[in-house]
mmCIF file of all heavy atoms in Angstrom:
data_model
loop_
_atom_site.group_PDB
_atom_site.id
_atom_site.type_symbol
_atom_site.label_atom_id
_atom_site.label_comp_id
_atom_site.label_asym_id
_atom_site.label_seq_id
_atom_site.Cartn_x
_atom_site.Cartn_y
_atom_site.Cartn_z
ATOM 1 N N THR M 1 108.719 332.951 91.148
ATOM 2 C CA THR M 1 108.418 332.923 92.566
ATOM 3 C C THR M 1 109.139 331.757 93.247
ATOM 4 O O THR M 1 109.712 331.901 94.332
ATOM 5 C CB THR M 1 106.903 332.815 92.794
ATOM 6 O OG1 THR M 1 106.261 333.940 92.173
ATOM 7 C CG2 THR M 1 106.563 332.785 94.271
ATOM 8 N N VAL M 2 109.096 330.608 92.610
ATOM 9 C CA VAL M 2 109.932 329.475 93.024
ATOM 10 C C VAL M 2 110.975 329.245 91.935
ATOM 11 O O VAL M 2 112.162 329.453 92.130
ATOM 12 C CB VAL M 2 109.086 328.211 93.268
ATOM 13 C CG1 VAL M 2 109.994 327.023 93.618
ATOM 14 C CG2 VAL M 2 108.086 328.443 94.398
ATOM 15 N N GLU M 3 110.516 328.816 90.760
ATOM 16 C CA GLU M 3 111.396 328.634 89.609
ATOM 17 C C GLU M 3 110.565 328.759 88.341
ATOM 18 O O GLU M 3 109.367 328.454 88.348
ATOM 19 C CB GLU M 3 112.086 327.272 89.661
ATOM 20 C CG GLU M 3 113.086 327.009 88.538
ATOM 21 C CD GLU M 3 114.121 328.127 88.397
ATOM 22 O OE1 GLU M 3 113.822 329.145 87.747
ATOM 23 O OE2 GLU M 3 115.221 327.961 88.932
ATOM 24 N N GLN M 4 111.169 329.242 87.269
ATOM 25 C CA GLN M 4 110.465 329.369 85.998
ATOM 26 C C GLN M 4 109.954 328.007 85.553
ATOM 27 O O GLN M 4 110.602 326.978 85.767
ATOM 28 C CB GLN M 4 111.381 329.981 84.949
ATOM 29 C CG GLN M 4 111.728 331.433 85.250
ATOM 30 C CD GLN M 4 112.834 331.981 84.369
ATOM 31 O OE1 GLN M 4 113.718 331.241 83.947
ATOM 32 N NE2 GLN M 4 112.795 333.280 84.112
ATOM 33 N N ALA M 5 108.781 328.001 84.932
ATOM 34 C CA ALA M 5 108.060 326.765 84.656
ATOM 35 C C ALA M 5 108.890 325.745 83.893
ATOM 36 O O ALA M 5 108.865 324.541 84.204
ATOM 37 C CB ALA M 5 106.784 327.082 83.879
ATOM 38 N N HIS M 6 109.630 326.181 82.866
ATOM 39 C CA HIS M 6 110.373 325.239 82.040
ATOM 40 C C HIS M 6 111.436 324.499 82.856
ATOM 41 O O HIS M 6 111.610 323.280 82.699
ATOM 42 C CB HIS M 6 110.997 325.933 80.823
ATOM 43 C CG HIS M 6 111.517 327.298 81.087
ATOM 44 N ND1 HIS M 6 110.691 328.369 81.394
ATOM 45 C CD2 HIS M 6 112.787 327.798 81.097
ATOM 46 C CE1 HIS M 6 111.436 329.444 81.576
ATOM 47 N NE2 HIS M 6 112.697 329.126 81.412
ATOM 48 N N HIS M 7 112.129 325.215 83.730
ATOM 49 C CA HIS M 7 113.113 324.558 84.589
ATOM 50 C C HIS M 7 112.430 323.674 85.637
ATOM 51 O O HIS M 7 112.891 322.569 85.941
ATOM 52 C CB HIS M 7 113.990 325.590 85.284
ATOM 53 C CG HIS M 7 114.851 326.386 84.351
ATOM 54 N ND1 HIS M 7 115.705 325.800 83.449
ATOM 55 C CD2 HIS M 7 114.992 327.734 84.182
ATOM 56 C CE1 HIS M 7 116.337 326.740 82.758
ATOM 57 N NE2 HIS M 7 115.927 327.919 83.181
ATOM 58 N N HIS M 8 111.335 324.163 86.185
ATOM 59 C CA HIS M 8 110.607 323.424 87.218
ATOM 60 C C HIS M 8 110.111 322.084 86.681
ATOM 61 O O HIS M 8 110.271 321.032 87.327
ATOM 62 C CB HIS M 8 109.426 324.283 87.698
ATOM 63 C CG HIS M 8 108.733 323.764 88.907
ATOM 64 N ND1 HIS M 8 108.191 324.588 89.874
ATOM 65 C CD2 HIS M 8 108.450 322.502 89.325
ATOM 66 C CE1 HIS M 8 107.633 323.852 90.811
ATOM 67 N NE2 HIS M 8 107.776 322.580 90.495
ATOM 68 N N ILE M 9 109.503 322.108 85.499
ATOM 69 C CA ILE M 9 108.946 320.891 84.902
ATOM 70 C C ILE M 9 110.034 319.846 84.704
ATOM 71 O O ILE M 9 109.845 318.658 85.003
ATOM 72 C CB ILE M 9 108.255 321.234 83.567
ATOM 73 C CG1 ILE M 9 106.980 322.052 83.828
ATOM 74 C CG2 ILE M 9 107.933 319.971 82.766
ATOM 75 C CD1 ILE M 9 106.407 322.715 82.582
ATOM 76 N N LEU M 10 111.175 320.266 84.215
ATOM 77 C CA LEU M 10 112.260 319.320 83.945
ATOM 78 C C LEU M 10 112.897 318.810 85.229
ATOM 79 O O LEU M 10 113.213 317.617 85.351
ATOM 80 C CB LEU M 10 113.293 319.983 83.033
ATOM 81 C CG LEU M 10 112.751 320.323 81.633
ATOM 82 C CD1 LEU M 10 113.729 321.203 80.872
ATOM 83 C CD2 LEU M 10 112.421 319.060 80.841
ATOM 84 N N PHE M 11 113.056 319.671 86.226
ATOM 85 C CA PHE M 11 113.612 319.232 87.502
ATOM 86 C C PHE M 11 112.680 318.238 88.198
ATOM 87 O O PHE M 11 113.148 317.311 88.873
ATOM 88 C CB PHE M 11 113.866 320.441 88.398
ATOM 89 C CG PHE M 11 114.427 320.083 89.751
ATOM 90 C CD1 PHE M 11 115.724 319.617 89.875
ATOM 91 C CD2 PHE M 11 113.656 320.219 90.904
ATOM 92 C CE1 PHE M 11 116.251 319.278 91.128
ATOM 93 C CE2 PHE M 11 114.166 319.895 92.150
ATOM 94 C CZ PHE M 11 115.467 319.421 92.265
ATOM 95 N N SER M 12 111.379 318.403 88.040
ATOM 96 C CA SER M 12 110.424 317.483 88.658
ATOM 97 C C SER M 12 110.589 316.060 88.138
ATOM 98 O O SER M 12 110.217 315.099 88.819
ATOM 99 C CB SER M 12 108.983 317.944 88.394
ATOM 100 O OG SER M 12 108.713 319.152 89.073
ATOM 101 N N ARG M 13 111.132 315.925 86.950
ATOM 102 C CA ARG M 13 111.290 314.604 86.338
ATOM 103 C C ARG M 13 112.684 314.023 86.518
ATOM 104 O O ARG M 13 112.864 312.814 86.373
ATOM 105 C CB ARG M 13 110.918 314.696 84.858
ATOM 106 C CG ARG M 13 109.397 314.746 84.704
ATOM 107 C CD ARG M 13 108.921 315.507 83.489
ATOM 108 N NE ARG M 13 107.460 315.450 83.445
ATOM 109 C CZ ARG M 13 106.665 316.281 84.155
ATOM 110 N NH1 ARG M 13 107.201 317.214 84.932
ATOM 111 N NH2 ARG M 13 105.353 316.168 84.084
ATOM 112 N N ALA M 14 113.647 314.871 86.801
ATOM 113 C CA ALA M 14 115.012 314.386 87.010
ATOM 114 C C ALA M 14 115.763 315.397 87.857
ATOM 115 O O ALA M 14 116.041 316.507 87.403
ATOM 116 C CB ALA M 14 115.722 314.181 85.675
ATOM 117 N N HIS M 15 116.095 315.027 89.077
ATOM 118 C CA HIS M 15 116.733 315.974 89.994
ATOM 119 C C HIS M 15 118.189 316.243 89.653
ATOM 120 O O HIS M 15 118.819 317.118 90.272
ATOM 121 C CB HIS M 15 116.593 315.472 91.433
ATOM 122 C CG HIS M 15 115.197 315.567 91.947
ATOM 123 N ND1 HIS M 15 114.695 314.744 92.923
ATOM 124 C CD2 HIS M 15 114.163 316.388 91.594
ATOM 125 C CE1 HIS M 15 113.435 315.045 93.166
ATOM 126 N NE2 HIS M 15 113.089 316.033 92.363
ATOM 127 N N SER M 16 118.731 315.523 88.673
ATOM 128 C CA SER M 16 120.086 315.837 88.216
ATOM 129 C C SER M 16 120.072 316.945 87.161
ATOM 130 O O SER M 16 121.143 317.398 86.739
ATOM 131 C CB SER M 16 120.762 314.590 87.644
ATOM 132 O OG SER M 16 120.003 314.044 86.579
ATOM 133 N N TYR M 17 118.887 317.384 86.737
ATOM 134 C CA TYR M 17 118.770 318.452 85.728
ATOM 135 C C TYR M 17 119.452 319.727 86.208
ATOM 136 O O TYR M 17 119.373 320.089 87.389
ATOM 137 C CB TYR M 17 117.298 318.733 85.437
ATOM 138 C CG TYR M 17 117.067 319.990 84.627
ATOM 139 C CD1 TYR M 17 117.336 320.008 83.263
ATOM 140 C CD2 TYR M 17 116.607 321.162 85.233
ATOM 141 C CE1 TYR M 17 117.144 321.168 82.519
ATOM 142 C CE2 TYR M 17 116.409 322.313 84.496
ATOM 143 C CZ TYR M 17 116.682 322.306 83.138
ATOM 144 O OH TYR M 17 116.499 323.461 82.404
ATOM 145 N N ARG M 18 120.103 320.438 85.278
ATOM 146 C CA ARG M 18 120.738 321.712 85.563
ATOM 147 C C ARG M 18 120.263 322.771 84.575
ATOM 148 O O ARG M 18 120.031 322.477 83.391
ATOM 149 C CB ARG M 18 122.269 321.586 85.488
ATOM 150 C CG ARG M 18 122.847 320.647 86.538
ATOM 151 C CD ARG M 18 122.622 321.198 87.938
ATOM 152 N NE ARG M 18 123.117 320.309 88.987
ATOM 153 C CZ ARG M 18 122.340 319.463 89.669
ATOM 154 N NH1 ARG M 18 121.031 319.375 89.382
ATOM 155 N NH2 ARG M 18 122.834 318.702 90.610
ATOM 156 N N HIS M 19 120.140 324.001 85.051
ATOM 157 C CA HIS M 19 119.580 325.083 84.246
ATOM 158 C C HIS M 19 120.278 325.237 82.897
ATOM 159 O O HIS M 19 119.631 325.467 81.874
ATOM 160 C CB HIS M 19 119.660 326.409 85.004
ATOM 161 C CG HIS M 19 118.830 326.466 86.248
ATOM 162 N ND1 HIS M 19 119.235 325.878 87.428
ATOM 163 C CD2 HIS M 19 117.633 327.049 86.496
ATOM 164 C CE1 HIS M 19 118.325 326.100 88.366
ATOM 165 N NE2 HIS M 19 117.335 326.806 87.825
ATOM 166 N N ALA M 20 121.587 325.140 82.895
ATOM 167 C CA ALA M 20 122.359 325.400 81.670
ATOM 168 C C ALA M 20 122.089 324.375 80.576
ATOM 169 O O ALA M 20 122.351 324.641 79.396
ATOM 170 C CB ALA M 20 123.850 325.443 81.992
ATOM 171 N N TRP M 21 121.567 323.224 80.934
ATOM 172 C CA TRP M 21 121.331 322.189 79.931
ATOM 173 C C TRP M 21 120.315 322.639 78.882
ATOM 174 O O TRP M 21 120.472 322.354 77.697
ATOM 175 C CB TRP M 21 120.833 320.914 80.606
ATOM 176 C CG TRP M 21 121.837 320.233 81.472
ATOM 177 C CD1 TRP M 21 123.102 320.665 81.779
ATOM 178 C CD2 TRP M 21 121.659 318.994 82.157
ATOM 179 N NE1 TRP M 21 123.722 319.770 82.614
ATOM 180 C CE2 TRP M 21 122.870 318.728 82.864
ATOM 181 C CE3 TRP M 21 120.617 318.086 82.258
ATOM 182 C CZ2 TRP M 21 123.034 317.590 83.645
ATOM 183 C CZ3 TRP M 21 120.779 316.952 83.023
ATOM 184 C CH2 TRP M 21 121.975 316.705 83.716
ATOM 185 N N LEU M 22 119.265 323.303 79.334
ATOM 186 C CA LEU M 22 118.227 323.708 78.393
ATOM 187 C C LEU M 22 118.768 324.728 77.402
ATOM 188 O O LEU M 22 118.495 324.644 76.193
ATOM 189 C CB LEU M 22 117.025 324.269 79.152
ATOM 190 C CG LEU M 22 115.791 324.588 78.309
ATOM 191 C CD1 LEU M 22 115.320 323.354 77.540
ATOM 192 C CD2 LEU M 22 114.666 325.112 79.200
ATOM 193 N N ARG M 23 119.533 325.692 77.885
ATOM 194 C CA ARG M 23 120.139 326.675 76.981
ATOM 195 C C ARG M 23 121.053 325.984 75.972
ATOM 196 O O ARG M 23 121.102 326.379 74.803
ATOM 197 C CB ARG M 23 120.909 327.710 77.785
ATOM 198 C CG ARG M 23 121.735 328.656 76.922
ATOM 199 C CD ARG M 23 122.242 329.843 77.700
ATOM 200 N NE ARG M 23 121.166 330.785 77.952
ATOM 201 C CZ ARG M 23 121.349 331.992 78.483
ATOM 202 N NH1 ARG M 23 122.559 332.401 78.812
ATOM 203 N NH2 ARG M 23 120.320 332.784 78.694
ATOM 204 N N HIS M 24 121.758 324.958 76.411
ATOM 205 C CA HIS M 24 122.635 324.219 75.500
ATOM 206 C C HIS M 24 121.841 323.654 74.327
ATOM 207 O O HIS M 24 122.259 323.773 73.163
ATOM 208 C CB HIS M 24 123.324 323.087 76.272
ATOM 209 C CG HIS M 24 124.115 322.154 75.415
ATOM 210 N ND1 HIS M 24 125.370 322.457 74.951
ATOM 211 C CD2 HIS M 24 123.808 320.910 74.930
ATOM 212 C CE1 HIS M 24 125.816 321.460 74.216
ATOM 213 N NE2 HIS M 24 124.900 320.513 74.187
ATOM 214 N N HIS M 25 120.691 323.061 74.616
ATOM 215 C CA HIS M 25 119.894 322.458 73.542
ATOM 216 C C HIS M 25 119.185 323.511 72.698
ATOM 217 O O HIS M 25 118.969 323.298 71.496
ATOM 218 C CB HIS M 25 118.890 321.470 74.135
ATOM 219 C CG HIS M 25 119.522 320.196 74.598
ATOM 220 N ND1 HIS M 25 119.793 319.142 73.754
ATOM 221 C CD2 HIS M 25 119.973 319.814 75.822
ATOM 222 C CE1 HIS M 25 120.362 318.158 74.432
ATOM 223 N NE2 HIS M 25 120.480 318.545 75.694
ATOM 224 N N LEU M 26 118.838 324.632 73.291
ATOM 225 C CA LEU M 26 118.194 325.704 72.537
ATOM 226 C C LEU M 26 119.178 326.456 71.644
ATOM 227 O O LEU M 26 118.866 326.758 70.486
ATOM 228 C CB LEU M 26 117.532 326.696 73.493
ATOM 229 C CG LEU M 26 116.183 326.303 74.085
ATOM 230 C CD1 LEU M 26 115.858 327.177 75.285
ATOM 231 C CD2 LEU M 26 115.078 326.430 73.029
ATOM 232 N N GLU M 27 120.356 326.738 72.166
ATOM 233 C CA GLU M 27 121.270 327.655 71.485
ATOM 234 C C GLU M 27 122.462 326.978 70.821
ATOM 235 O O GLU M 27 123.063 327.570 69.905
ATOM 236 C CB GLU M 27 121.770 328.703 72.479
ATOM 237 C CG GLU M 27 120.650 329.527 73.099
ATOM 238 C CD GLU M 27 121.154 330.566 74.090
ATOM 239 O OE1 GLU M 27 122.378 330.835 74.104
ATOM 240 O OE2 GLU M 27 120.329 331.096 74.866
ATOM 241 N N LYS M 28 122.802 325.776 71.253
ATOM 242 C CA LYS M 28 123.984 325.106 70.702
ATOM 243 C C LYS M 28 123.596 323.981 69.747
ATOM 244 O O LYS M 28 123.920 324.029 68.557
ATOM 245 C CB LYS M 28 124.869 324.568 71.837
ATOM 246 C CG LYS M 28 125.343 325.635 72.813
ATOM 247 C CD LYS M 28 126.208 326.692 72.141
ATOM 248 C CE LYS M 28 126.719 327.693 73.178
ATOM 249 N NZ LYS M 28 127.519 328.785 72.554
ATOM 250 N N THR M 29 122.944 322.964 70.258
ATOM 251 C CA THR M 29 122.605 321.830 69.396
ATOM 252 C C THR M 29 121.419 322.123 68.494
ATOM 253 O O THR M 29 121.240 321.462 67.476
ATOM 254 C CB THR M 29 122.270 320.582 70.228
ATOM 255 O OG1 THR M 29 121.009 320.755 70.886
ATOM 256 C CG2 THR M 29 123.350 320.301 71.259
ATOM 257 N N ARG M 30 120.583 323.094 68.868
ATOM 258 C CA ARG M 30 119.353 323.439 68.147
ATOM 259 C C ARG M 30 118.400 322.241 68.071
ATOM 260 O O ARG M 30 117.616 322.106 67.140
ATOM 261 C CB ARG M 30 119.652 323.939 66.727
ATOM 262 C CG ARG M 30 120.537 325.177 66.669
ATOM 263 C CD ARG M 30 119.890 326.384 67.283
ATOM 264 N NE ARG M 30 120.623 327.624 66.962
ATOM 265 C CZ ARG M 30 120.391 328.805 67.532
ATOM 266 N NH1 ARG M 30 119.448 328.913 68.463
ATOM 267 N NH2 ARG M 30 121.085 329.874 67.182
ATOM 268 N N GLY M 31 118.462 321.392 69.086
ATOM 269 C CA GLY M 31 117.567 320.243 69.122
ATOM 270 C C GLY M 31 116.152 320.593 69.510
ATOM 271 O O GLY M 31 115.226 319.794 69.304
ATOM 272 N N VAL M 32 115.957 321.775 70.098
ATOM 273 C CA VAL M 32 114.625 322.275 70.448
ATOM 274 C C VAL M 32 114.528 323.730 70.020
ATOM 275 O O VAL M 32 115.546 324.403 69.822
ATOM 276 C CB VAL M 32 114.334 322.130 71.968
ATOM 277 C CG1 VAL M 32 114.226 320.667 72.365
ATOM 278 C CG2 VAL M 32 115.413 322.827 72.792
ATOM 279 N N PHE M 33 113.304 324.213 69.852
ATOM 280 C CA PHE M 33 113.085 325.608 69.490
ATOM 281 C C PHE M 33 111.915 326.161 70.284
ATOM 282 O O PHE M 33 111.125 325.402 70.859
ATOM 283 C CB PHE M 33 112.839 325.759 67.979
ATOM 284 C CG PHE M 33 111.478 325.296 67.507
ATOM 285 C CD1 PHE M 33 110.483 326.217 67.188
ATOM 286 C CD2 PHE M 33 111.187 323.944 67.346
ATOM 287 C CE1 PHE M 33 109.233 325.801 66.746
ATOM 288 C CE2 PHE M 33 109.947 323.516 66.895
ATOM 289 C CZ PHE M 33 108.965 324.461 66.590
ATOM 290 N N GLU M 34 111.813 327.467 70.328
ATOM 291 C CA GLU M 34 110.717 328.128 71.038
ATOM 292 C C GLU M 34 109.665 328.614 70.058
ATOM 293 O O GLU M 34 109.986 329.267 69.066
ATOM 294 C CB GLU M 34 111.230 329.338 71.817
ATOM 295 C CG GLU M 34 111.999 329.009 73.076
ATOM 296 C CD GLU M 34 112.196 330.248 73.942
ATOM 297 O OE1 GLU M 34 111.205 330.948 74.219
ATOM 298 O OE2 GLU M 34 113.353 330.515 74.314
ATOM 299 N N ASN M 35 108.424 328.277 70.333
ATOM 300 C CA ASN M 35 107.308 328.911 69.650
ATOM 301 C C ASN M 35 106.056 328.734 70.491
ATOM 302 O O ASN M 35 106.128 328.887 71.708
ATOM 303 C CB ASN M 35 107.152 328.418 68.209
ATOM 304 C CG ASN M 35 106.451 329.472 67.356
ATOM 305 O OD1 ASN M 35 105.240 329.457 67.206
ATOM 306 N ND2 ASN M 35 107.232 330.420 66.814
ATOM 307 N N TRP M 36 104.954 328.386 69.905
ATOM 308 C CA TRP M 36 103.675 328.483 70.576
ATOM 309 C C TRP M 36 102.885 327.193 70.411
ATOM 310 O O TRP M 36 102.778 326.658 69.309
ATOM 311 C CB TRP M 36 102.883 329.645 69.973
ATOM 312 C CG TRP M 36 101.894 330.284 70.893
ATOM 313 C CD1 TRP M 36 100.550 330.022 70.968
ATOM 314 C CD2 TRP M 36 102.138 331.306 71.866
ATOM 315 N NE1 TRP M 36 99.959 330.810 71.923
ATOM 316 C CE2 TRP M 36 100.917 331.611 72.491
ATOM 317 C CE3 TRP M 36 103.279 331.985 72.264
ATOM 318 C CZ2 TRP M 36 100.794 332.571 73.490
ATOM 319 C CZ3 TRP M 36 103.164 332.940 73.267
ATOM 320 C CH2 TRP M 36 101.940 333.226 73.865
ATOM 321 N N THR M 37 102.331 326.684 71.498
ATOM 322 C CA THR M 37 101.300 325.648 71.451
ATOM 323 C C THR M 37 100.034 326.346 71.935
ATOM 324 O O THR M 37 99.475 327.161 71.222
ATOM 325 C CB THR M 37 101.688 324.433 72.319
ATOM 326 O OG1 THR M 37 101.994 324.882 73.656
ATOM 327 C CG2 THR M 37 102.908 323.719 71.748
#
């Protein structure tokens, strides 16, 4: 509706954040992964 939560949360903390950065860490560096809390 505004922005997906994961992007919104990160932008709220740093306005230089860009959408592609998260995909880079998920798919390239593998520094983060998706699962469940």
